[in-house]
Amino acid sequence: MKDSQVREMFDAIAPSYDFQNSFLSLRIDVGWRRRLARMASSENPQVILDAAAGTAEVALELSRRAPRARVLGVDFSPAMLAKGKTKLQGLRENNRIDLACGDCRQLPVAAESVQAATMAFGIRNIQERQLVLKEFHRALTPGGRLFIMEFGLPDVPILGPLYRFYFHHVLPAVGNAISRTNYAYTYLRDSVLAFPDDDAFLAELSSAGFTECGVTLLTFGVARIFSGRKPQSNRAVRSA
Ligand SMILES: C[S@@+](CC[C@H](N)C(=O)[O-])C[C@H]1O[C@@H](n2cnc3c(N)ncnc32)[C@H](O)[C@@H]1O
């Protein structure tokens, strides 16, 4: 799918996006985002970037886990962001969260300006992954960390085959019906299947300049969090 079609799709499903997530994942996704926020806030970052922020679910979790940090959410779908802005109104976290319309392939942030970056369920939508990973690398301060959460398929007895049946046959049909489209969840399934396996994506992180690359499985691998660190620069290491 072209980027403009991806944006149009998220604009179209934005009104019921949060409900779709909760319904189709039985609210397990709430715990996944909490885990992501916990990992991203563990080294007390002052500024956290959440790319492909959507309706600000991750930004909200981040601001709760890191009460002294500023959180910047970036997304290219105006309708998803509008939903997020409405959600934040009246919450005390609102004054520490900024939501901006922008493209992850050209992040609207200065170089070396964020100590942690997250992206939940966004990377599989973007063809130019290396471009995005390099943008994260540019935005992070030396020593800063990147956390990318994406869907996967569990590879365990009993649950694995059951989930695969759900994922291949039930999810597209029910998801398309709930989102009132005939393609959104067929696209979700196909984009997850097209995403590289763990080793291949970890190699992509390394080739974008990240070190300490690793993957954490969530719910037996139904979701996973890839992580990496931007190394301290040679200059910083020499002068230390
Ligand atoms: C599946 S939603 C995930 C939203 C949110 N992170 C969450 O956990 O619910 C994917 C989001 O990625 C955004 N997106 C996809 N490609 C993008 C790009 N190139 N630049 C910015 N946002 C993008 C879409 O607009 C959409 O809001």
Side-chain angles (χ1 to χ4, degrees):
M1 211 187 250
K2 284 193 214 142
D3 300 297
S4 55
Q5 291 171 310
V6 170
R7 187 174 57 234
E8 280 163 23
M9 178 183 75
F10 282 105
D11 275 340
I13 66 174
S16 57
Y17 175 80
D18 288 340
F19 169 74
Q20 294 159 35
N21 271 343
S22 301
F23 184 84
L24 292 167
S25 76
L26 307 173
R27 287 190 62 78
I28 295 172
D29 62 316
V30 175
W32 295 339
R33 289 192 186 79
R34 280 196 188 136
R35 180 79 180 272
L36 177 69
R38 207 162 57 231
M39 289 169 80
S41 58
S42 66
E43 293 183 2
N44 297 319
Q46 294 155 332
V47 184
I48 310 175
L49 166 72
D50 180 44
T55 59
E57 286 289 302
V58 173
L60 199 49
E61 280 303 331
L62 286 166
S63 70
R64 288 179 177 147
R65 294 276 151 189
R68 282 197 280 264
R70 286 212 67 79
V71 179
L72 171 64
V74 173
D75 199 286
F76 72 177
S77 158
M80 292 287 274
L81 287 176
K83 193 87 185 152
K85 282 179 185 159
T86 306
K87 184 187 300 175
L88 295 180
Q89 267 166 21
L91 296 184
R92 67 166 188 270
E93 290 83 3
N94 194 13
N95 60 1
R96 289 185 293 105
I97 301 176
D98 293 307
L99 296 178
C101 201
D103 197 309
C104 298
R105 294 166 298 178
Q106 199 172 0
L107 288 167
V109 297
E112 305 196 349
S113 60
V114 308
Q115 289 81 35
T118 55
M119 187 186 227
F121 310 120
I123 192 75
R124 77 189 142 73
N125 297 298
I126 303 174
Q127 302 298 321
E128 300 111 314
R129 282 192 299 275
Q130 268 302 304
L131 194 58
V132 174
L133 296 179
K134 287 195 170 139
E135 270 297 90
F136 279 126
H137 195 274
R138 179 187 67 79
L140 283 163
T141 53
R145 293 191 304 161
L146 171 64
F147 299 89
I148 295 185
M149 183 155 76
E150 197 45 87
F151 291 113
L153 292 173
D155 195 13
V156 288
I158 304 173
L159 178 73
L162 278 177
Y163 184 78
R164 276 165 203 269
F165 179 80
Y166 165 79
F167 184 78
H168 280 276
H169 304 290
V170 182
L171 178 74
V174 178
N176 287 345
I178 299 178
S179 63
R180 299 186 184 191
T181 65
N182 56 8
Y183 61 93
Y185 282 77
T186 310
Y187 164 76
L188 183 148
R189 177 195 64 193
D190 295 345
S191 58
V192 171
L193 293 174
F195 194 70
D197 66 24
D198 292 358
D199 288 343
F201 188 61
L202 289 170
E204 291 185 14
L205 278 173
S206 298
S207 78
F210 289 94
T211 56
E212 300 177 30
C213 299
V215 58
T216 305
L217 299 191
L218 308 175
T219 318
F220 305 102
V222 172
R224 48 201 69 203
I225 297 174
F226 298 92
S227 55
R229 189 186 291 277
K230 175 173 176 174
Q232 298 287 348
S233 68
N234 292 338
R235 195 162 36 107
V237 170
R238 267 202 305 274
S239 61

